[in-house]
Amino acid sequence: MSRSSVAGRSGLRWPVLGTIVAAVIGLGLTSCGNLESTAGSPTSKTDIPQDAATWQVIAAPEPTPRGATVHLGVTRLGCANGVTGEVLEPTVLVEEERVVISTPVEHFPGGADCPTNDVEYLDVELPADALGKDLVDAACLNGGEAATTAACSLGPARWHLPTLAGVNEVVDWTAPADYNFQVTSLCGERAFLGTFDITVSADTVTSVESLDGRSPDLTEDDAMTVQDMLQEANARLRGGGTVRLSLDEQGNPRYIAIGDNLAQSDGASCYFIHKLSAPSS
């Protein structure tokens, strides 16, 4: 495995959405409209105390031969009068099957109220050997400072960084008759953007709940099943488009990306499935 700790602070201050910041799992999500940023140097202070923070992927990263730039929204874990404060230099650990990212923030001495902390934005540069792997929040791993908190309720994996090459065919996945899954949709212009808990029965969405407050009024008709996502991928592939796909250990779809320029194209789609479960027969 390789180790690096390279990052840049974004020159563009994306607006903080109050409903998202106040969400039960603290997700910071935006649509995949045009994003431009100028990378600078993060604060590097190894001789000062640090506090834990969690992060979310703000826009779907596009793979390049040199790796990828990942746009993160960082939120302090502890009480600090609603302020996340200065983000210190992150640590990136590229392992065989995952990329573990830690985003510490400058220490706050305590004695604060506990409103939901705001979001600080950060660009993290990942090397080429990070492609094809899940991006994992170190604070949410077993034993991590945030592992048992609501911020990590969907697990430590936040997103998948795809490889350069797309697939030639879409997996022939047999859906359970009934299943439940949690999914983040980041790309394109559509109603189905945000993080959701979805229940499916007989290929039909029977319930949908917004987990981040981005689309609280999304109806079952506007939500998608995993089958819908795969059908969308199949249609784009037949039309000559790019499709990238990753499966979990059980062979279930984990990550589906449709199109190029994921963070900038209104016609792109990208989905990361956090958990998928079916009742025992």
Side-chain angles (χ1 to χ4, degrees):
M1 63 185 178
S2 64
R3 188 179 183 91
S4 63
S5 55
V6 290
R9 188 176 304 281
S10 171
L12 177 65
R13 304 297 295 176
W14 300 311
V16 177
L17 302 181
T19 55
I20 295 176
V21 174
V24 63
I25 58 174
L27 294 174
L29 299 170
T30 72
S31 70
C32 293
N34 293 333
L35 285 175
E36 298 179 2
S37 64
T38 302
S41 298
T43 301
S44 179
K45 299 179 180 179
T46 58
D47 57 342
I48 63 173
Q50 301 178 356
D51 290 338
T54 60
W55 55 266
Q56 298 292 335
V57 174
I58 300 301
E62 186 76 14
T64 74
R66 300 181 60 182
T69 301
V70 183
H71 306 290
L72 303 183
V74 179
T75 304
R76 176 186 294 273
L77 180 63
C79 301
N81 295 324
V83 178
T84 288
E86 189 172 13
V87 181
L88 304 180
E89 186 172 0
T91 298
V92 177
L93 182 62
V94 180
E95 300 180 343
E96 184 175 353
E97 296 183 351
R98 65 185 185 181
V99 181
V100 181
I101 303 174
S102 176
T103 55
V105 294
E106 193 166 15
H107 177 65
F108 186 84
D113 292 329
C114 285
T116 301
N117 295 322
D118 61 7
V119 178
E120 293 290 332
Y121 297 100
L122 186 72
D123 289 350
V124 176
E125 302 294 334
L126 299 181
D129 59 349
L131 299 181
K133 300 174 182 179
D134 280 358
L135 306 181
V136 173
D137 188 339
C140 292
L141 293 172
N142 288 338
E145 298 94 329
T148 60
T149 70
C152 299
S153 61
L154 296 183
R158 301 302 201 191
W159 196 252
H160 182 81
L161 183 59
T163 58
L164 283 169
V167 299
N168 295 320
E169 61 181 3
V170 175
V171 61
D172 185 16
W173 183 68
T174 301
D178 303 288
Y179 65 94
N180 172 260
F181 70 109
Q182 293 80 45
V183 61
T184 296
S185 170
L186 280 184
C187 300
E189 289 293 333
R190 64 189 67 210
F192 188 60
L193 284 173
T195 297
F196 304 94
D197 182 280
I198 297 174
T199 300
V200 178
S201 180
D203 296 343
T204 301
V205 174
T206 57
S207 71
V208 56
E209 177 187 0
S210 173
L211 296 179
D212 62 359
R214 179 180 176 83
S215 302
D217 300 321
L218 189 80
T219 67
E220 286 82 358
D221 290 339
D222 289 326
M224 298 181 72
T225 67
V226 177
Q227 302 97 297
D228 292 334
M229 299 171 194
L230 293 174
Q231 289 171 7
E232 180 187 3
N234 252 321
R236 186 70 65 90
L237 195 61
R238 290 194 298 268
T242 301
V243 172
R244 297 183 178 97
L245 178 70
S246 177
L247 306 179
D248 65 16
E249 295 178 352
Q250 290 73 44
N252 298 315
R254 173 74 160 173
Y255 170 85
I256 304 168
I258 303 167
D260 296 306
N261 300 318
L262 296 175
Q264 299 181 14
S265 172
D266 290 346
S269 302
C270 57
Y271 313 104
F272 182 72
I273 298 171
H274 300 272
K275 299 177 182 179
L276 190 151
S277 58
S280 301
S281 57

